[in-house]
Amino acid sequence: EAFNLIAFTETLIEEFEDLKKVGQTINLQCKLTSIKVFLDVKLLKHIIYNLVSNAIKYSEEHQDININITIKNQLVCIEIKDKGIGIPTEDQNNMFQRFYRANNASNIQGTGLGLNIVKQYTELMDGTINFKSKINEGSIFYIEFPLNQKQNE
Ligand code: ATP
Ligand code: MG
């Protein structure tokens, strides 16, 4: 079923009211007001929910989270960026393994399952996931999905 990805994301952001730390804002940055997509809503919701939850959890109070949605070469790209603890270089190759947790996350609660599930769901939707991260500076996770051809008919 087709839906507007921008409106969907705006609504999803409201669900983080209780999870957010003091002074954290989740900003949606997008030049477009509507992007019609034919994606699996349930899977997409899990994916964004997990990534934004991580961004909140691995950031401090007053550190904002930015979501950016762009379209390029028939791909829709969703970026989730935080200014949190970051991921140490030596852990970065293992982030999508089940139960893997980075060294600097040991005193923050988690099971290490979220990202593994996010990757599986992204691939089920013919998408890809990548990230860039720097310890003590922050992380940015990118998910990309092909825009359905129907979009342009
Ligand atoms: P959960 O299963 O509850 O999500 P988790 O958050 O520990 O537990 P993942 O979401 O799979 O597990 O993340 C795996 C690890 O990747 C985390 O333990 C943390 O070390 C690191 N990580 C993930 N997202 C971020 C982020 N935004 N900033 C810093 N580290 C992150
Ligand atoms: Mg997690």
Side-chain angles (χ1 to χ4, degrees):
E1 195 57 21
F3 62 97
N4 175 4
L5 179 61
I6 306 300
F8 168 84
T9 307
E10 280 169 348
T11 306
L12 191 51
I13 287 172
E14 290 169 17
E15 293 190 25
F16 291 98
E17 235 9 85
D18 296 335
L19 204 66
K20 279 193 304 189
K21 291 177 184 165
V22 174
Q24 281 182 336
T25 309
I26 304 173
N27 306 301
L28 175 61
Q29 300 163 322
C30 185
K31 287 181 185 138
L32 305 157
T33 53
S34 172
I35 300 175
K36 193 180 180 189
V37 292
F38 295 80
L39 300 168
D40 184 315
V41 186
K42 267 187 156 175
L43 292 183
L44 187 65
K45 191 170 174 172
H46 271 284
I47 292 167
I48 299 179
Y49 191 86
N50 265 288
L51 294 176
V52 176
S53 302
N54 278 347
I56 291 171
K57 183 161 73 162
Y58 298 109
S59 298
E60 310 276 351
E61 293 180 357
H62 301 287
Q63 291 181 325
D64 291 342
I65 290 140
N66 289 302
I67 304 178
N68 197 359
I69 304 180
T70 50
I71 295 179
K72 200 171 63 185
N73 303 329
Q74 292 301 303
L75 292 171
V76 56
C77 180
I78 306 170
E79 300 181 6
I80 294 154
K81 183 180 177 184
D82 67 63
K83 297 169 185 156
I85 65 170
I87 301 167
T89 318
E90 61 267 29
D91 292 303
Q92 289 188 7
N93 285 335
N94 303 311
M95 287 337 298
F96 296 107
Q97 278 178 33
R98 286 182 78 176
F99 305 119
Y100 194 88
R101 305 201 66 226
N103 245 324
N104 64 336
S106 57
N107 56 1
I108 301 169
Q109 248 183 18
T111 59
L113 273 172
L115 282 182
N116 180 269
I117 294 167
V118 163
K119 188 171 167 75
Q120 290 185 48
Y121 285 0
T122 304
E123 288 171 356
L124 275 177
M125 294 167 66
D126 298 320
T128 57
I129 178 161
N130 287 291
F131 68 92
K132 280 188 193 144
S133 185
K134 207 166 176 193
I135 193 157
N136 298 324
E137 287 188 18
S139 307
I140 176 161
F141 282 82
Y142 312 83
I143 43 172
E144 278 189 344
F145 301 103
L147 266 180
N148 195 300
Q149 292 306 318
K150 283 178 195 162
Q151 164 100 3
N152 298 317
E153 278 168 14

